[in-house]
Amino acid sequence: MTKQKLTILLASPRGFCAGVDRAIHIVEEALRRYGRPVYVRHEIVHNRFVVEDLKAKGAIFVDELDDVPDGVPVIFSAHGVPQSVPAEAERRNLFYLDATCPLVTKVHYEAQQHWRDGRQIIMIGHAGHPEVVGTMGQVPEGTMILVETLEDVAKLEPADPEKLSFITQTTLSVDDTAAIVEALRARFPAMVGPRKEDICYATTNRQQAVKAIAGRCDALMVVGAPNSSNSKRLVEVAARSGCERSMLVQRASDLDWSTLADISVLGVTAGASAPDILIEEVLDAARTHFDVTIEEVTVTDETISFKLPAALTA
């Protein structure tokens, strides 16, 4: 039987960013140097496939330092941690490696500087996300206010409107964040912002790539995890940019391809913590059901890389 033709628009950039790549390499190099087990506080990145692969290699993932025994290395996840976490590790004389993405660390430094300058800090982000928890933990409790929506902006009552600053989570929707910043600036003209936007290059690039293909797609798949902020934002961006039939997919095996029998153009991208193997799984599965033609749509080339901690390179 002749297969139905399907054009796949493959967004680029997609998948792993430099911060995710660095974090995974930190765990792998620690295992190579120090042997099994190496403990990791929280998921190193938000992807179940990556976590299970590292578990198989000897990594043990825990929720808190209380679950880490003495005398073994521990790694902090790419999302960053409150200052209390390394302080506790030092109190216990634990050997730790910090896999926080350098672009998240940049936001941490901004928060600390704003606090030292006597400014109340507004953080734009999602409550409970590990990155937000880590960033809010860089300054004393009560000196940072979390804002998630325009409604939150309208209800803000800062201690001193003339001594305000803002920072953002690195994995937000670029457009949503711009609207919130605009509303904040309208209410608080004296507010100080970051010198360079906090939303990271990888988040911005992947959203731009989705915008470039969404209007041409009958459906669009984002390969990523349900707890991945940047992956969920890609689904939202696709829906707003011309492809309402956008979906988050963890693995090709999760898909019911019969629900896509009516489409002729499929967009495919992946969140910044999704490995290439999961994208290839989706493309291979598509080929079993359709006569596939792949068109890669590139909006920019990424050349950024981050160094491993000095303890792993000496």
Side-chain angles (χ1 to χ4, degrees):
M1 188 174 70
T2 304
K3 291 180 181 177
Q4 178 181 331
K5 291 185 180 298
L6 178 69
T7 298
I8 291 181
L9 302 182
L10 193 56
S12 180
R14 64 185 175 276
F16 275 2
C17 63
V20 165
D21 195 53
R22 173 180 179 269
I24 294 168
H25 281 152
I26 287 172
V27 179
E28 292 175 336
E29 181 61 16
L31 285 165
R32 189 186 72 79
R33 288 197 174 213
Y34 310 119
R36 303 161 66 115
V38 166
Y39 280 71
V40 184
R41 183 187 178 276
H42 292 179
E43 291 188 348
I44 189 68
V45 298
H46 281 159
N47 188 276
R48 178 52 49 185
F49 179 89
V50 170
V51 169
E52 293 300 329
D53 181 62
L54 292 173
K55 279 183 180 179
K57 294 174 180 176
I60 297 176
F61 291 85
V62 297
D63 289 331
E64 299 297 343
L65 287 187
D66 292 345
D67 302 317
V68 179
D70 294 336
V72 296
V74 61
I75 299 170
F76 305 148
S77 81
H79 309 101
V81 296
Q83 287 188 342
S84 58
V85 174
E88 173 63 11
E90 289 168 9
R91 187 192 69 78
R92 290 181 52 192
N93 292 316
L94 291 175
F95 172 68
Y96 67 87
L97 295 164
D98 190 353
T100 301
C101 173
L103 299 180
V104 174
T105 300
K106 163 189 170 288
V107 181
H108 289 184
Y109 289 155
E110 288 172 359
Q112 292 160 14
Q113 186 60 55
H114 288 315
W115 175 69
R116 286 193 293 267
D117 290 343
R119 296 189 184 97
Q120 191 172 20
I121 306 162
I122 297 168
M123 177 163 196
I124 305 170
H126 297 295
H129 189 278
E131 182 185 331
V132 171
V133 173
T135 301
M136 295 189 75
Q138 300 303 307
V139 295
E141 189 173 351
T143 58
M144 191 181 298
I145 307 168
L146 181 64
V147 164
E148 296 189 78
T149 65
L150 290 170
E151 289 73 22
D152 292 339
V153 174
K155 292 183 284 188
L156 269 179
E157 295 184 9
D160 183 354
E162 300 300 312
K163 295 288 287 184
L164 273 183
S165 61
F166 81 91
I167 58 176
T168 81
Q169 187 178 333
T170 63
T171 54
L172 300 177
S173 160
V174 173
D175 295 336
D176 286 349
T177 304
I180 291 173
V181 170
E182 183 180 357
L184 282 168
R185 290 197 183 282
R187 282 202 65 194
F188 311 112
M191 182 182 65
V192 174
R195 293 178 183 174
K196 186 178 179 182
E197 190 175 77
D198 288 337
I199 296 177
C200 79
Y201 78 95
T203 297
T204 301
N205 290 347
R206 279 149 191 73
Q207 290 180 20
Q208 290 296 335
V210 162
K211 288 179 180 179
I213 65 172
R216 298 171 56 192
C217 298
D218 301 314
L220 192 146
M221 290 182 190
V222 177
V223 180
N227 60 340
S228 166
S229 174
N230 73 83
S231 297
K232 291 194 290 185
R233 301 295 82 75
L234 288 173
V235 175
E236 294 168 0
V237 169
R240 293 175 184 174
S241 302
C243 186
E244 292 185 8
R245 199 170 171 182
S246 57
M247 65 199 81
L248 185 65
V249 175
Q250 292 196 73
R251 300 290 297 269
S253 56
D254 298 335
L255 287 165
D256 179 0
W257 287 93
S258 65
T259 63
L260 299 174
D262 60 330
I263 72 169
S264 59
V265 180
L266 174 67
V268 174
T269 189
S273 50
D276 285 344
I277 188 171
L278 300 186
I279 304 165
E280 290 302 322
E281 275 186 4
V282 168
L283 299 180
D284 288 342
R287 291 185 183 101
T288 66
H289 296 274
F290 297 92
D291 177 8
V292 171
T293 300
I294 294 179
E295 177 187 339
E296 187 154 6
V297 179
T298 302
V299 297
T300 190
D301 293 319
E302 292 180 347
T303 58
I304 293 175
S305 63
F306 296 128
K307 295 179 180 178
L308 297 183
L312 295 179
T313 57

